[in-house]
Amino acid sequence: MQRLIPTGDPQRPVAFTEAAEPVPRPDEALVRVAAFAPNRGETFLLEDPRPELLPGKDIAGLVVQAAADGSGPSMGTRVVGHPALGGWADYVAVPTDALAVLPDALDVVTAAALPLAGTTALRLLRAAGPVAGARILLTGASGGVGHYVTELAAAAGADVTVLTATPERGERLSTLGATRVVHEIAAAAGPFDLVLESIGGAATAASLALLRPGGTLIWFGQASRTPVTLNFFDFFAGPENATIRHFHYAGGPYGRDLATLVRLVAEGRLHPEIGVVADWSETARVLVDLRERRVRGKAVLTTSAGR
């Protein structure tokens, strides 16, 4: 089979190689990959790849070998999955608790855009607690996670202000339920009950200052790739009793959250924003565009099985 592996070249970060078909563990199904969606964080790993790195965490395709232990979907079932690695290939072994069955109405391109970004959004909002009526500031909102958070939070009754780099990137977020779109933190009209911060650098301190007393900032990313520095004298002089929390989405099982995302999309209640769809022969180019933030929403690559 064919697999994409790291090259170490920033301008051509992956290349095809021939590889043996993976041998699933008893609790894994073998999936023929029809589509996969790289994440921006994966592009950073490719800059100085570990020798054992086999990228690929968001996939959709067809089960060609069911798990030997009898768990999970049967052979011939269309699925979306979130393997730990190895998804940029013709075949990947996926734990059955990291799979969800796709209804006929949901195509593999849309499904592949769901796992990491969608699961992050679901779990981030669970971590935040009830958001009905809450005033939320979401930074870095034009990426894959931001689109999902905006739609899910607005549907739950939140008043969502989103921060994006340009008006073009904010247009879609307004249709997904954002109350206000701003392009610099200084334009955000606080105070906010909750800040969901994913830019890093100076943005973290600036958005923290916009919290109401007793409000919460949840830091879940560093899109700017600039370290955060906080002056705690400023923090203590700011919103009284504010809370800063760190969030990371990872931790299986993923199947239940994937099934929730699939259901919401199938019911027309969640609308993945897919900025690029291309053949996987274009993966290297798309990865560079994703790393340089030239893609709005998600990028999805299709293999021969997805055409």
Side-chain angles (χ1 to χ4, degrees):
M1 71 167 192
Q2 286 193 302
R3 176 188 298 285
L4 286 164
I5 59 171
T7 65
D9 179 353
Q11 298 309 311
R12 188 174 173 269
V14 293
F16 284 100
T17 189
E18 289 293 324
E21 193 174 291
V23 179
R25 297 195 305 261
D27 64 342
E28 293 179 330
L30 185 65
V31 178
R32 185 179 184 191
V33 179
F36 62 85
N39 296 284
R40 191 162 179 257
E42 290 173 301
T43 71
F44 304 151
L45 297 177
L46 294 170
E47 292 176 354
D48 185 19
R50 304 186 311 271
E52 70 278 11
L53 177 64
L54 295 176
K57 297 173 71 68
D58 290 4
I59 63 100
L62 187 74
V63 173
V64 294
Q65 180 181 323
D69 67 1
S71 64
S74 60
M75 186 174 70
T77 303
R78 296 167 67 250
V79 292
V80 59
H82 192 52
L85 48 77
W88 301 354
D90 282 316
Y91 297 92
V92 62
V94 187
T96 55
D97 66 5
L99 290 170
V101 175
L102 297 180
D104 292 341
L106 187 56
D107 63 272
V108 292
V109 169
T110 302
L114 291 173
L116 190 149
T119 300
T120 298
L122 279 179
R123 294 182 175 187
L124 180 61
L125 288 171
R126 287 195 198 115
V131 297
R135 300 192 74 235
I136 297 176
L137 172 63
L138 172 64
T139 69
S142 59
V145 175
H147 283 87
Y148 290 131
V149 170
T150 299
E151 187 166 21
L152 290 169
D159 180 319
V160 185
T161 296
V162 296
L163 175 65
T164 70
T166 64
E168 293 75 23
R169 288 178 175 266
E171 288 176 2
R172 176 63 171 159
L173 293 162
S174 294
T175 69
L176 294 176
T179 307
R180 284 167 295 278
V181 178
V182 298
H183 310 300
E184 54 184 27
I185 290 179
F192 295 97
D193 302 296
L194 174 67
V195 172
L196 303 174
E197 212 291 286
S198 66
I199 296 177
T204 304
S207 56
L208 178 64
L210 295 173
L211 281 175
R212 66 163 176 79
T216 298
L217 180 146
I218 302 180
W219 183 83
F220 71 99
Q222 192 168 296
S224 69
R225 308 187 72 185
T226 304
V228 175
T229 300
L230 292 179
N231 183 326
F232 273 81
F233 289 102
D234 291 340
F235 176 48
F236 296 145
E240 185 177 356
N241 293 324
T243 300
I244 303 173
R245 297 173 56 188
H246 172 253
F247 169 86
H248 188 246
Y249 89 100
Y254 298 102
R256 184 174 179 180
D257 285 337
L258 291 176
T260 296
L261 294 166
V262 166
R263 175 177 58 80
L264 291 173
V265 174
E267 293 174 354
R269 297 165 61 190
L270 188 66
H271 301 84
E273 180 71 6
I274 301 174
V276 172
V277 179
D279 184 84
W280 72 326
S281 62
E282 299 292 316
T283 301
R285 175 186 61 80
V286 172
L287 288 172
V288 173
D289 286 344
L290 189 62
R291 183 188 68 213
E292 300 303 320
R293 304 182 73 177
R294 293 194 286 261
V295 177
R296 182 173 64 190
K298 297 291 295 179
V300 179
L301 288 306
T302 58
T303 71
S304 59
R307 295 175 199 142

